[in-house]
Amino acid sequence: MIIAVDGPAASGKGSIARAIAAHFGLPHMDTGLLYRATALNLLETGGDPESEFGAARATDISQIRFDDPELKSETVGGLASRISAYPLVREALLERQKRFAAQDGGAVLDGRDIGTVIAPEADVKIFVTATSEIRAERRFAELKRSGLDVHLPDVLADIRTRDERDSHRAAAPLVMADDAILLDTSEMNLEQAIAAAIEAVEARRTQ
Ligand code: DC
């Protein structure tokens, strides 16, 4: 069973995808990490984010530790969003994601284009969303908890910039697949959102 979980920044799709994977005993891939690792590699090697070729070279991420906390920073997230608009970057990261999705026994992947590009054949597609204000508040609380001195209006502005860029790029933009289930978590806490997602998977599975 392939389960695709897509959605905008800070929608909770990562936590939901991890919980679905644990519940159904499936391997999970956070595909945003591939773009973040590319962005971090570009930063560390002093590459030019304005150059599509330079960014594509940075997709050689064998040296990146996937537990590096820098990967989760807003700087790296913002740069990941910028370079993910380059078709050459997306192409370089495509095969790895497709292979993960197609492994025996199935998988859960979360990102922006899983249900539309990486695994259009997915058995279940969930599109997780929430209003930008709610997502900003959640991200703000998370950043505060990790000890960062952040301001809510800045976090909201960052989220809106990322939404705009991720949704309007020409290559594999963030759009809900026609056959996806919409999960608006604006009025839910994480526990409720996870329960709703698992229920949606069960319902599709038994159809
Ligand atoms: O999900 P995230 O915030 O970790 O993703 C970081 C950026 O990577 C996001 O702003 C856009 C890009 N991305 C993408 O273009 N396609 C994906 N499947 C996952 C992430």
Side-chain angles (χ1 to χ4, degrees):
M1 176 169 60
I2 303 176
I3 303 175
V5 183
D6 289 302
S11 57
K13 65 183 182 311
S15 309
I16 291 173
R18 260 192 307 279
I20 291 176
H23 183 86
F24 293 99
L26 292 168
H28 166 238
M29 178 185 260
D30 168 359
T31 64
L33 271 185
L34 301 177
Y35 293 92
R36 286 173 179 266
T38 301
L40 182 59
N41 196 17
L42 191 67
L43 277 176
E44 286 181 344
T45 55
D48 176 9
E50 296 301 320
S51 155
E52 179 165 357
F53 287 105
R57 266 196 302 276
T59 58
D60 177 11
I61 46 181
S62 46
Q63 302 303 314
I64 298 282
R65 294 168 318 278
F66 281 89
D67 57 355
D68 185 338
E70 256 310 293
L71 285 173
K72 290 283 168 199
S73 74
E74 291 300 279
T75 311
V76 169
L79 185 58
S81 167
R82 278 173 65 193
I83 60 166
S84 67
Y86 293 137
L88 286 179
V89 168
R90 307 201 70 82
E91 212 177 288
L93 298 174
L94 185 79
E95 204 39 50
R96 188 166 173 168
Q97 299 173 74
K98 279 193 170 280
R99 238 184 298 121
F100 191 89
Q103 66 186 290
D104 285 349
V108 182
L109 291 90
D110 75 83
R112 302 288 188 289
D113 62 342
I114 309 303
T116 49
V117 175
I118 303 297
E121 75 283 17
D123 302 279
V124 186
K125 300 177 186 179
I126 301 178
F127 193 87
V128 186
T129 191
T131 63
S132 50
E133 289 81 7
I134 300 267
R135 288 184 284 126
E137 276 169 25
R138 290 178 188 160
R139 178 56 57 87
F140 174 71
E142 195 179 292
L143 293 169
K144 275 272 185 205
R145 268 199 305 277
S146 59
L148 290 168
D149 180 25
V150 282
H151 302 279
L152 185 57
D154 297 340
V155 177
L156 179 58
D158 275 357
I159 289 216
R160 288 193 167 143
T161 308
R162 279 230 264 153
D163 282 357
E164 177 68 22
R165 212 187 287 122
D166 295 350
S167 308
H168 293 102
R169 66 184 179 216
L174 169 70
V175 282
M176 182 169 147
D178 292 340
D179 51 349
I181 302 156
L182 179 66
L183 182 60
D184 186 337
T185 67
S186 301
E187 312 261 304
M188 299 177 186
N189 61 31
L190 185 57
E191 239 167 58
Q192 293 168 323
I194 289 172
I198 290 174
E199 208 174 294
V201 175
E202 295 281 14
R204 273 288 154 102
R205 239 178 25 142
T206 51
Q207 252 174 25

